[in-house]
Amino acid sequence: MRTVALTALAPLAWGSTYAVTTELLPADRPLLTATLRALPAGLVLLAVTRRLPSGSWWWRSAVLGTLNIGVFFALLFVAAYRLPGGVAAVLGAIQPLLAAGLAVPLLGERLGRRALLAGTVGVFGVALVVLRATARLDAIGVLAGLAGAGAMAAGTVLTKRWGRPEGVSPLALTGWQLTAGGLLLLPVAALVEGAPPALSGTNLLGYGYLAVANTALAYWVWFRGIGRLPATSVAFLGLLSPVSAAVIGWAALGQSLNAVQLLGMALALGSTLLGQRSAGRPATTVVATSGSTSTSSTATTSTASAPAVPAAATPAAPTVTATAPVPALALAAIREGEARGADLPQGGGPVEPAGRVAR
């Protein structure tokens, strides 16, 4: 339960992004904001941890950073500026369903009726919180919102599948992904938005908060949770972000909350709790190191989390964790393929209640 609660702090913090963006940052600079959130935070974490990827983790970090940070941020802001915030929020709320579907072939997690029910109720609850009767649709915005949710879902599942190298902390893994995503965003922001404007002290304060608390710390907590919880469980926690945004908008920005929105919050929170229970099931953890295989049964539930198991340390000593009752020989074959880089599978942010979405 402590791991679930700590991981939930990430989407709760992401809910503050809209308030910070509208009150402290320059207008109409979404890609600049995304870049300044990711790249400085990633470089600071690299300096603090003093650890760079090695072997296959160079391309794995690039893939994860692209999905979780670079592509997700860019698509999120495209959707934010082409759709009302409520529509974009509802599109983002399908991420748990997408993650649950991807977890079946990539992680061997079960897709039960309880998870499907929780995901559907979660989308409906978020819609009640943020959707407005005057909402309009834009084809490009809708596609961007769906693709962004898909990118984050795929990144969450692949982060769980690949784990992290032996001896590498979640903080270092977070730094790798933020740096990779920031480097992807930097030329895009420069090309689309041009040179950044002169920044005031208020702007710098806002960017500092987003980079440190809302990105470096929040994503460290998020990726740590992915390593210790089922991927579906973590994905359902993302439903807390629009709820947090609505509460902050009411408390700090004077926005109203009506009975329908309160009902939507209750449904979203209930869906999050149901998602934790649907993901909790016995699992078999198979670990192969230096040619030997050891198998141990663990119980992953919403109230107790097994310790994170390092995965794929180096090509010479691959370590991969799989949470499914799959034959050990089949897993060993998968691990050998991934160690050679031959098995690359193809393949969570806050929104504001009634306007632009910010991650």
Side-chain angles (χ1 to χ4, degrees):
M1 178 61 73
R2 179 164 40 179
T3 300
V4 173
L6 183 61
T7 307
L9 292 178
L12 289 174
W14 292 334
S16 67
T17 305
Y18 170 71
V20 172
T21 301
T22 56
E23 299 299 315
L24 302 180
L25 302 184
D28 301 325
R29 291 285 181 160
L31 294 178
L32 173 65
T33 298
T35 304
L36 291 182
R37 285 189 65 191
L39 189 55
L43 293 176
V44 168
L45 292 184
L46 288 183
V48 170
T49 58
R50 297 184 179 181
R51 189 69 181 264
L52 293 175
S54 62
S56 64
W57 275 97
W58 281 105
W59 63 262
R60 289 185 178 185
S61 298
V63 171
L64 294 178
T66 296
L67 292 173
N68 288 321
I69 308 297
V71 169
F72 176 71
F73 277 13
L75 291 175
L76 177 73
F77 284 116
V78 169
Y81 278 87
R82 299 186 71 98
L83 295 170
V87 176
V90 174
L91 293 174
I94 71 169
Q95 181 194 328
L97 288 173
L98 296 177
L102 289 172
V104 174
L106 295 181
L107 301 178
E109 293 185 5
R110 300 170 185 169
L111 182 58
R113 282 179 285 185
R114 182 180 291 179
L116 290 174
L117 175 63
T120 303
V121 171
V123 173
F124 182 67
V126 170
L128 292 181
V129 174
V130 299
L131 202 57
R132 299 292 181 268
T134 57
R136 57 180 175 79
L137 297 180
D138 174 85
I140 295 177
V142 170
L143 290 175
L146 292 173
M152 188 66 173
T156 298
V157 173
L158 284 179
T159 301
K160 179 65 178 181
R161 177 182 174 90
W162 289 337
R164 53 187 167 86
E166 185 176 2
V168 173
S169 67
L171 198 63
L173 182 63
T174 303
W176 297 352
Q177 296 192 45
L178 289 174
T179 302
L183 290 175
L184 175 67
L185 286 166
L186 182 61
V188 177
L191 181 64
V192 174
E193 297 180 350
L199 301 178
S200 66
T202 300
N203 298 153
L204 293 175
L205 179 63
Y207 283 126
Y209 167 79
L210 291 181
V212 177
N214 217 329
T215 302
L217 294 179
Y219 272 97
W220 165 61
V221 168
W222 185 254
F223 293 138
R224 176 184 178 275
I226 292 175
R228 300 189 177 203
L229 298 169
T232 303
S233 173
V234 177
F236 270 102
L237 293 176
L239 295 174
L240 296 175
S241 183
V243 174
S244 172
V247 172
I248 292 173
W250 167 75
L253 304 180
Q255 296 174 347
S256 62
L257 283 177
N258 55 39
V260 173
Q261 289 176 299
L262 293 176
L263 174 62
M265 288 183 183
L267 291 175
L269 292 174
S271 174
T272 302
L273 294 176
L274 184 60
Q276 305 310 303
R277 296 190 62 184
S278 67
R281 57 167 180 76
T284 300
T285 300
V286 182
V287 179
T289 56
S290 302
S292 64
T293 302
S294 61
T295 305
S296 60
S297 296
T298 60
T300 304
T301 67
S302 60
T303 57
S305 301
V309 180
T314 63
T319 302
V320 174
T321 299
T323 56
V326 183
L329 290 178
L331 288 175
I334 293 174
R335 283 191 289 271
E336 292 175 1
E338 289 185 340
R340 295 191 298 269
D343 183 22
L344 173 60
Q346 302 297 317
V351 296
E352 39 76 32
R356 186 176 58 181
V357 177
R359 173 76 163 89

